[in-house]
Amino acid sequence: MPFLAFWRWSWTRSSSQLDEKFGGVSMAPEDVLDRTPNVLSRDQQESYFANGYLLIEQAIDGPVLEKLRAATAQAINASRTVSISDATWDLETGHTTDEPKLRRLTSPNDYDDTYWEYASSPAISGILTDLIGPNIKFHHSKLNFKWSGGGEEVKWHQDIGFWPHTNFTPCTVGLYLEDCTDDQGPLGVIAQSNQGPLFDQYSEDGEWVGCLSDDDVGRLDLSKETYLPGPAGSITIHNCRTVHGSRKNQSERPRPLLLNAYAAADAMPYTVNPAASSKYDQHIICGSPARWARHDAGTCLIPPDWSGGYTSIFALQQEEDQPTM
């Protein structure tokens, strides 16, 4: 056997033995597809890997939704006493005591246990094992609102630039707490952009803006622009490389979207978690912790140092001042 071929064989064999010994199964897409799915169909798995997203309508049942809606109503009511955005409350312009406009509740899992019960439930981990493998950890959570009559857009961006990891298994699971129609600003994605380049999300002046430049948007295949409306209880899943965003809410009804980010246990963060204050950061929700990090090939954008504070993508893209914490 030629030396190089032997080296590759030996490395692969040793790596496989280490994975088996320490319980951390390395899960590239082809590895996931070698396993029998638990919840999803094979078509759903293959669609996610090919296109970078998945929509599962009415995946979460009524009782769970009702508990989450009640917790959300309480949070909105509590925001009436808040007048300045901070690490928990991100307020939209025009927010008042009488007409609260909570743009984002950061780390809702820490705010109310109801959110964490859902985020760590078998219903979610069962789906994720079919996409990123048996060992899964939590990264962060947020609850984004788009209030009626023009709730703010989210410009095209990629998540991995905000919270880079050693591999590209991180994904975000969104849950529509209410019915979401096309005019409410549902999640939009560029299908198959997960297989394309990673974009620079800094401005020409070197300032982090958290979105693609106009030139880079021009490089996207906008014929693959896809929006994901769905009835209450539907979940969206998009990969960390997938270019995504959302339009303004032009309807008369708000659009609350609960978002939780996860990664394979062997995906190690390079930088400070924007929601690092969460007590659930790096919590294993399924399987076992990893003793070996897995590295995907290629480069990855590094964001600014978030340890000094971070409000939201809305504040970044709208060029609002970030708080000092």
Side-chain angles (χ1 to χ4, degrees):
M1 180 184 294
F3 174 77
L4 183 58
F6 174 79
W7 180 86
R8 286 172 175 163
W9 171 83
S10 177
W11 182 90
T12 302
R13 183 172 181 269
S14 297
S15 177
S16 177
Q17 288 175 336
L18 288 171
D19 285 340
E20 182 179 354
K21 178 179 179 181
F22 295 118
V25 181
S26 182
M27 284 284 139
E30 57 270 24
D31 299 316
V32 174
L33 291 173
D34 278 343
R35 297 162 54 90
T36 301
N38 297 308
V39 178
L40 301 179
S41 68
R42 181 67 76 198
D43 285 347
Q44 286 175 312
Q45 288 180 301
E46 292 176 348
S47 179
Y48 174 79
F49 292 130
N51 297 303
Y53 72 92
L54 205 58
L55 171 66
I56 308 174
E57 293 192 348
Q58 296 177 308
I60 303 303
D61 62 22
V64 174
L65 274 180
E66 288 304 317
K67 290 181 67 175
L68 291 168
R69 286 170 178 159
T72 300
Q74 190 278 332
I76 294 171
N77 190 54
S79 76
R80 296 175 185 273
T81 64
V82 181
S83 58
I84 300 175
S85 296
D86 58 23
T88 300
W89 310 97
D90 179 32
L91 308 178
E92 191 172 316
T93 301
H95 171 86
T96 66
T97 299
D98 295 332
E99 294 187 23
K101 287 190 175 183
L102 178 57
R103 189 164 57 181
R104 168 179 286 180
L105 175 64
T106 302
S107 294
N109 293 338
D110 295 274
Y111 182 79
D112 191 306
D113 288 342
T114 301
Y115 295 111
W116 179 244
E117 290 172 8
Y118 155 75
S120 59
S121 68
I124 298 302
S125 61
I127 292 171
L128 290 174
T129 57
D130 289 341
L131 298 177
I132 59 178
N135 305 306
I136 301 168
K137 62 184 176 183
F138 173 78
H139 190 258
H140 73 275
S141 63
K142 54 215 173 193
L143 175 53
N144 288 349
F145 297 85
K146 281 185 184 288
W147 294 95
S148 57
E152 291 178 4
E153 70 170 338
V154 176
K155 300 175 183 178
W156 295 120
H157 67 284
Q158 292 171 307
D159 288 339
I160 191 65
F162 286 79
W163 23 280
H165 282 64
T166 58
N167 62 56
F168 299 119
T169 58
C171 64
T172 300
V173 179
L175 170 65
Y176 290 128
L177 298 182
E178 306 286 350
D179 292 345
C180 181
T181 57
D182 281 318
D183 60 349
Q184 287 179 274
L187 178 72
V189 299
I190 304 297
Q192 300 178 11
S193 58
N194 60 307
Q195 301 183 49
L198 296 182
F199 292 97
D200 191 340
Q201 298 182 127
Y202 286 87
S203 70
E204 291 182 356
D205 298 328
E207 295 294 324
W208 179 266
V209 290
C211 62
L212 274 62
S213 68
D214 291 342
D215 287 344
D216 283 338
V217 170
R219 296 168 57 194
L220 298 174
D221 184 353
L222 294 179
S223 70
K224 295 178 179 177
E225 181 177 355
T226 305
Y227 289 89
L228 308 176
S234 299
I235 66 171
T236 64
I237 308 171
H238 63 271
N239 179 260
C240 60
R241 294 180 66 107
T242 302
V243 176
H244 63 287
S246 59
R247 295 169 176 163
K248 290 184 177 182
N249 179 1
Q250 303 292 1
S251 77
E252 296 302 317
R253 295 183 296 117
R255 187 229 65 179
L257 176 62
L258 178 60
L259 297 158
N260 286 281
Y262 306 87
D266 60 8
M268 301 301 169
Y270 282 118
T271 58
V272 171
N273 189 332
S277 60
S278 173
K279 62 186 177 183
Y280 300 113
D281 181 30
Q282 305 300 302
H283 183 91
I284 299 295
I285 69 161
C286 184
S288 306
R291 295 189 185 181
W292 298 83
R294 181 166 66 83
H295 291 254
D296 283 341
T299 58
C300 190
L301 185 68
I302 299 297
D305 179 4
W306 300 129
S307 61
Y310 174 85
T311 298
S312 74
I313 191 171
F314 302 105
L316 285 168
Q317 293 188 357
Q318 301 302 322
E319 299 182 2
E320 299 173 7
D321 291 336
Q322 294 291 295
T324 299
M325 302 176 196

